[in-house]
């Protein structure tokens, strides 16, 4: 199922990237996917992570950190990253976070993203803490395999 969704997402991205109205269509699709990503609470959320990453990378005009779609994506990412998931499931969320950093030219989108208690900046703390833990786990597993840092 995930492979079919990924192929459909890739096709949609290719179709969005071409044509006279690419910018308008891409923005509409981004807005729709972002709202879906914010509201879905099932495995589709992980498929949407991949699709959003692809769409964001081909947008003719990149959104800024105040764009409503970026807010929806940040909310969806917060849902994923504050849930009890294994590292393979968090990988798509980390990838989407990296893409947002790239297209929004920095971390403003994460800093301005308030949590449920309206405390801005907490999402950035969660993101940094989880990334740190993932890196520590990766380094520990490589150490147990007998690999050095240079071999990573």
């Amino acid at each position: 199922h995930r492979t079919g969704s990924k192929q459909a997402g890739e096709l949609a991205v290719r179709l969005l990237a071409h044509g006279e109205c690419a910018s308008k269509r891409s923005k509409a699709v981004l807005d729709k996917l972002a709202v879906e990503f914010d509201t879905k609470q099932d495995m589709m959320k992980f498929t949407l992570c991949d699709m959003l990453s692809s769409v964001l990378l081909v947008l003719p005009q990149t959104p800024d950190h105040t764009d409503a779609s970026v807010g929806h994506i940040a909310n969806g990412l917060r849902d994923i990253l504050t849930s009890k998931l294994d590292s393979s499931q968090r990988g798509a969320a980390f990838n989407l976070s990296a893409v947002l950093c790239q297209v929004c030219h920095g971390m403003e989108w994460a800093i301005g993203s308030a949590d449920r208690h309206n405390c801005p900046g907490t999402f950035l703390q969660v993101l940094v803490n989880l990334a740190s833990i993932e890196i520590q786990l990766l380094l520990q597993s490589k150490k147990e395999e007998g690999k050095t840092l240079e071999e990573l």
Side-chain angles (χ1 to χ4, degrees):
H1 174 263
R2 187 159 164 106
T3 304
S5 297
K6 187 173 182 175
Q7 290 172 336
E10 289 170 1
L11 176 61
V13 166
R14 277 183 269 183
L15 291 171
L16 289 172
H18 300 290
E20 293 176 20
C21 300
S23 181
K24 206 181 259 189
R25 273 195 317 252
S26 297
K27 180 67 174 122
V29 169
L30 175 64
D31 291 343
K32 175 71 173 151
L33 290 175
V35 169
E36 287 288 313
F37 184 63
D38 189 1
T39 58
K40 289 286 185 190
Q41 298 299 324
D42 56 17
M43 293 305 291
M44 184 64 179
K45 197 169 200 98
F46 300 102
T47 301
L48 288 167
C49 263
D50 295 333
M51 292 175 79
L52 282 164
S53 293
S54 298
V55 169
L56 283 166
L57 289 171
V58 299
L59 281 177
Q61 294 179 326
T62 58
D64 68 10
H65 67 281
T66 62
D67 192 288
S69 60
V70 173
H72 287 296
I73 295 169
N75 288 339
L77 285 169
R78 183 184 309 103
D79 288 346
I80 291 174
L81 294 173
T82 57
S83 299
K84 293 182 181 181
L85 302 170
D86 65 35
S87 60
S88 66
Q89 291 173 311
R90 281 192 299 269
F94 282 128
N95 184 53
L96 180 54
S97 298
V99 168
L100 272 179
C101 288
Q102 179 182 346
V103 300
C104 292
H105 307 289
M107 295 296 298
E108 290 83 9
W109 64 272
I111 294 168
S113 177
D115 66 6
R116 291 186 195 117
H117 306 291
N118 206 24
C119 298
T122 55
F123 177 64
L124 179 60
Q125 291 172 330
V126 168
L127 186 61
V128 170
N129 287 337
L130 284 174
S132 173
I133 291 167
E134 291 292 328
I135 291 168
Q136 288 173 346
L137 291 172
L138 176 68
L139 290 174
Q140 183 62 35
S141 70
K142 297 303 178 185
K143 183 179 177 183
E144 289 170 2
E145 292 174 8
K147 294 186 177 181
T148 64
L149 285 177
E150 291 80 28
E151 293 174 314
L152 296 177

